[in-house]
Amino acid sequence: MGNPRNIVLGLVALVTAGTLTACDDGRAGAESGAKQLAAALSALDVGSLTLDGIQQDAAAKRLAAVFKELAPAKPNVSAGKVDLSSDKATVPLEYSWKVGEAEWKYTTQATLAKSKDQWRVQWTSGMLAPELTDGEVLDLKVSTAQRGNILGAGDAPIVVDRPVYRVGIDKTKVPAEQADASARALAGLAGLDATTYAQQVAASGPQAFVEGIVLRAFTPEISQAKLATIPGAVSVQDTMPLAPTRTFARAVLGSVGQASAEQIEKTNGALQLGDTTGNGGLQEQYDSLLRGTDGVTIGAVPAEPPAGSAASARELFAVKAVSGASLKTTLDPRLQQLAEDTLAGVGPASAIVALRPSNGAVLAAASGPGSNGYNTAMLGQYAPGSTFKIVDSLAMIRNGMTPDSKVNCTPTLTVDGRTFKNAEGYPEGSLGSVTLRDAFAHSCNTAFIAARDGVSQAQLESAATSLGVAVEAPKLGAAAFLGSVPGSAEGTEHAASMIGQGKVLLSPLAAAVMAASVAQGSPVSPQLVLNPDAVPQPSGGASPSAVPTGSAAGSGSAVPSGSAPSAQATAPATPVTKQEAAQLSDMMRAVVTSGHAGFLTEVRGAPVGAKTGTAEYGKENPPKTHAWIVAVHGDLAVAVFVEDGGLGATTSGPLLKQFLTAAG
C-alpha cells in the first residue's frame, strides 16, 4: 500500500472554523451546516464540527488515515443542494482532487441531523470516498510514464533507455544497528557525502532501498566484489535515458535524474520529491514533452490487511500512463563524437561547432573538458578577434571596396593614445600598401583599424546582422548566445571593434553561423530542435546567465530560441547577397592559399576557406588570448575556439584540420 512518491495534488481550501448551529430550525441552518462541513473536509480538519457516531479525536485520526496516501494535498469539496426532511438533511458532497496531471472528481452523500437547534454531522466513512467502509482506506499507485528519447539527424538514437546498475543500501538486508556504518562505507566507495547519505538511509523506512549512485557499468573503483563486503549494499539492474557516453553532448542535452529542491520550488508543486525530471540542457528545457504523464490508480483497501496477504484494492479511479514524445534534433552523432574527441586533450574551456550552411542544421556543438560542463559552444560570450574581420570586410565592400582594393598595413597604429599592433610574427612582406585580400589573409590589424573612419560602428552592426550574427534564432529551439555588436562606439572602442574586441562578443555558435552565411550567400538561421510543436519550458533551460572565467560579459545574454537581448535584432537589416558573399569567400580562401591557414590545403575535398582570430583579454602582461578559427568546407561551416589558447592559427587551427580531415 506504499506510495512510491508524493503526487502533486492541489486546491487547498482555507476555512474559518465554526460550529454547525442553525440560525433557525429551517433550511437556512441546514445549508449553513452543509457548507461548513464541505469547508472542513476541504481543509481535512474536522476539529470544528459537531459529530454524531464518532468521537472528535477518532474522526480526526480516521480522516488522516483514509487520505494518508494522498498527502500532502487536500481536496476541493463543495456542498450541493440540501434535501431537507423534518429534522434531517442530506446533501451531496462534490469532491475534486488534482492527482498528477489528472483531476479525480466524485460525489458522496452526507447526512445532518438537528438536535436542540443544532445541526450535527452524522459521521460515516462513505461521505469521504465512494462507498468507503469503516475498514477501508485509500491506496495510491503510480506507474511512471516512459520518457521520450532524444534523436539526432535522421532520427538516429542519441538519448535512449540504456542498461544501468542502481547501487544502494537495501535495509531489509542489513541489521538496523549496522545501517549507518554500511551507508557510510558505500558513500566512501561511491564518492558521496557520507553524512548526507547516512541521513537518507536513516530517514527511510525499514524496507526501503536507498539509492546512492547509478552506474553504466561496474569499475575497479566500484565493483560487485567490493559491494559484497558492505552489509546491505546491493545493485539493481534497470534502464534509464542515457546518451552513448557520459560526456556525449552533455552540456547541450542535459541529463535525467531526481528533481532538485530548486526545481521543485520553481514548478510550484508540479514536481515532487522523488520525481524524475530533466536537469539542464534540452532534457530540462523540454521536460514536459519528454516526461509524458504518469499513470495513477486510486483504490479502497483494507486498513489492516490479513497477515501474509496483499491488500486487494477496489478501484475507484484510474488514469493510464502516457509515454513522453521523442525530441528530434539535427545533431549528427558521428560529428558530435568527432568534435568531442578532437577537444579531449584541450585543457582550457573550448568548443567546436559545425553547421550545415544549406539549412542551418547544427551538426555538432561540443564543449571540451576544460569547460567543466558549461555549454561554451552555444552560450559562451567572447571577443571574436580577427574572425570578426569577415564582418569588417562586408562593411568595407558595401562602401565600394573589393578584395583587390589597396589598404595600408603599418606595424603599429595609435588611436587616442592607445597603440594597436599586429600579431607576433606578422610577415614584413605584407606591410605597406597591400590588397584588402592580403590584409585579410595575414590579418593585418592596423589596416582594418585604419579603415574605421570609413566604416561606422552602425555599419559594423548592420554587417554583422547581415551575416546572421546578433539576431534572433527562431528555429534554434535551445538556449544560445548569438552575439552582441554595439551600434555605436567612438575612439578606441570603435577601433577595437574593427579587430573583434572592445564590446563585440560572439559565441562559437555565432562564429559558425557567420562563416555559414558566407558559404550559403545569405544569412543562415541555425536550427537544433526539429519538433515543430515543441515549446520550451520557461522554468528549464532558459536564459542561463553564467559566463565562463575569462570571458567578457557584454550587453548580450544567453537566451532561448525566439527571445533576444536588447543588442540583438529580430532579423538582418540588409541580408548578405551572393555577390558580397562571393567576395568574402575569395578572401577566406586566400587565408588558406597564402595566409595563416596554409595547413588546410591538405584537407581533401572541396576547397577550404577560413579566417583565424586571436583576441586579448584580462589584465596580465602580456595578456592572455582567445584562439579562434572559422572555416567553410563544402556544405559544412565550423568554428573552433580555445579560451586561453595563444594564436588562432597555431592553437585552434590544428584542431580544425583534425576535425575536417576526419569528417571527410
Side-chain angles (χ1 to χ4, degrees):
M1 195 172 74
N3 184 355
R5 60 180 173 85
N6 289 331
I7 295 296
V8 178
L9 304 157
L11 299 175
V12 177
L14 299 178
V15 301
T16 301
T19 304
L20 300 183
T21 58
C23 297
D24 54 35
D25 57 357
R27 177 173 296 277
E31 290 178 343
S32 176
K35 289 179 180 178
Q36 292 183 54
L37 170 60
L41 292 173
S42 293
L44 298 183
D45 182 359
V46 294
S48 64
L49 301 180
T50 302
L51 304 171
D52 280 342
I54 193 171
Q55 295 294 320
Q56 202 84 37
D57 58 346
K61 290 179 181 179
R62 174 65 179 148
L63 189 67
V66 168
F67 294 127
K68 180 181 177 181
E69 290 284 290
L70 304 184
K74 298 176 183 179
N76 182 28
V77 185
S78 60
K81 183 178 179 180
V82 173
D83 185 1
L84 184 66
S85 176
S86 186
D87 289 341
K88 283 197 174 182
T90 58
V91 58
L93 296 176
E94 298 171 355
Y95 284 75
S96 176
W97 293 85
K98 190 69 168 34
V99 185
E101 299 297 321
E103 187 175 22
W104 180 30
K105 292 184 176 182
Y106 58 86
T107 302
T108 64
Q109 294 288 327
T111 301
L112 285 75
K114 185 180 178 184
S115 175
K116 297 181 180 180
D117 294 330
Q118 187 179 53
W119 288 96
R120 304 171 66 90
V121 175
Q122 309 300 292
W123 178 270
T124 65
S125 293
M127 73 179 182
L128 303 180
E131 300 179 7
L132 194 73
T133 68
D134 289 341
E136 292 179 322
V137 295
L138 297 185
D139 176 57
L140 173 68
K141 300 292 185 187
V142 177
S143 55
T144 303
Q146 176 72 33
R147 191 173 181 86
N149 298 327
I150 297 182
L151 308 177
D155 288 346
I158 293 181
V159 179
V160 295
D161 277 348
R162 301 179 193 272
V164 295
Y165 295 94
R166 297 186 183 276
V167 177
I169 297 296
D170 184 345
K171 295 185 70 173
T172 66
K173 296 183 178 181
V174 59
E177 63 273 13
Q178 173 66 37
D180 183 78
S182 291
R184 293 178 182 276
L186 179 59
L189 195 65
L192 306 174
D193 182 272
T195 300
T196 300
Y197 183 60
Q199 290 173 344
Q200 291 173 347
V201 172
S204 301
Q207 295 186 326
F209 168 73
V210 187
E211 183 179 296
I213 191 170
V214 179
L215 303 174
R216 289 173 179 260
F218 287 101
T219 65
E221 292 75 22
I222 308 178
S223 64
Q224 288 179 314
K226 288 183 178 180
L227 287 181
T229 66
I230 302 174
V234 300
S235 64
V236 179
Q237 287 187 313
D238 197 5
T239 63
M240 69 180 297
L242 293 173
T245 68
R246 184 180 63 84
T247 59
F248 185 92
R250 190 178 182 104
V252 176
L253 300 174
S255 60
V256 178
Q258 290 194 351
S260 66
E262 182 181 7
Q263 288 174 316
I264 292 171
E265 183 179 356
K266 281 183 178 179
T267 60
N268 296 320
L271 289 174
Q272 289 286 296
L273 186 65
D275 281 358
T276 297
T277 188
N279 295 312
L282 299 180
Q283 288 284 10
E284 184 170 350
Q285 195 172 349
Y286 293 95
D287 185 64
S288 60
L289 174 79
L290 292 161
R291 189 173 66 238
T293 305
D294 289 345
V296 174
T297 301
I298 298 175
V301 298
E304 297 181 3
S309 64
S312 177
R314 176 169 56 86
E315 186 177 291
L316 301 177
F317 176 73
V319 175
K320 291 184 178 180
V322 178
S323 297
S326 291
L327 186 70
K328 298 185 178 184
T329 76
T330 60
L331 287 178
D332 183 312
R334 183 181 73 88
L335 290 182
Q336 177 69 30
Q337 189 62 60
L338 174 59
E340 294 185 10
D341 292 344
T342 302
L343 297 173
V346 178
S350 60
I352 293 178
V353 176
L355 296 179
R356 183 180 293 120
S358 59
N359 61 8
V362 179
L363 304 176
S367 299
S371 296
N372 296 317
Y374 186 77
N375 191 355
T376 302
M378 297 176 67
L379 298 176
Q381 302 182 35
Y382 298 96
S386 291
T387 60
F388 196 69
K389 288 172 183 169
I390 296 174
V391 172
D392 296 346
S393 297
L394 176 57
M396 294 164 74
I397 288 169
R398 287 178 169 177
N399 283 345
M401 297 189 72
T402 71
D404 293 315
S405 296
K406 294 291 185 175
V407 295
N408 191 30
C409 180
T410 58
T412 63
L413 182 65
T414 300
V415 179
D416 293 347
R418 178 181 174 183
T419 300
F420 294 87
K421 62 180 182 179
N422 298 314
E424 291 294 330
Y426 187 88
E428 290 189 10
S430 291
L431 291 172
S433 179
V434 297
T435 64
L436 177 60
R437 181 188 296 105
D438 196 26
F440 184 93
H442 292 96
S443 206
C444 178
N445 290 336
T446 59
F448 281 89
I449 293 172
R452 70 191 183 283
D453 289 339
V455 178
S456 69
Q457 188 71 26
Q459 287 176 317
L460 284 183
E461 180 189 34
S462 176
T465 65
S466 297
L467 292 165
V469 173
V471 297
E472 289 189 17
K475 299 189 299 180
L476 186 61
F481 174 71
L482 265 295
S484 175
V485 180
S488 61
E490 302 292 338
T492 56
E493 185 180 320
H494 180 41
S497 294
M498 297 295 293
I499 55 172
Q501 299 206 181
K503 294 183 178 179
V504 174
L505 299 170
L506 296 184
S507 64
L509 171 64
V513 167
M514 178 175 64
S517 297
V518 174
Q520 182 64 10
S522 61
V524 169
S525 183
Q527 181 171 28
L528 176 64
V529 174
L530 293 173
N531 297 53
D533 54 350
V535 178
Q537 295 173 196
S539 60
S543 300
S545 58
V547 179
T549 302
S551 69
S555 58
S557 61
V559 296
S561 166
S563 177
S566 58
Q568 289 184 319
T570 56
T574 308
V576 65
T577 66
K578 291 193 179 298
Q579 293 77 12
E580 292 167 339
Q583 295 180 77
L584 294 174
S585 296
D586 171 276
M587 293 195 293
M588 289 179 69
R589 180 57 180 165
V591 175
V592 177
T593 58
S594 62
H596 292 309
F599 50 85
L600 294 176
T601 58
E602 300 172 13
V603 176
R604 295 181 179 179
V608 178
K611 185 67 192 82
T612 59
T614 304
E616 296 179 349
Y617 73 95
K619 297 181 180 180
E620 296 184 18
N621 189 15
K624 293 182 177 181
T625 56
H626 304 316
W628 291 86
I629 190 168
V630 297
V632 293
H633 183 221
D635 198 16
L636 188 66
V638 182
V640 180
F641 168 80
V642 178
E643 182 183 66
D644 182 11
L647 300 177
T650 57
T651 299
S652 295
L655 298 173
L656 173 66
K657 179 183 177 182
Q658 179 182 341
F659 179 81
L660 290 180
T661 300

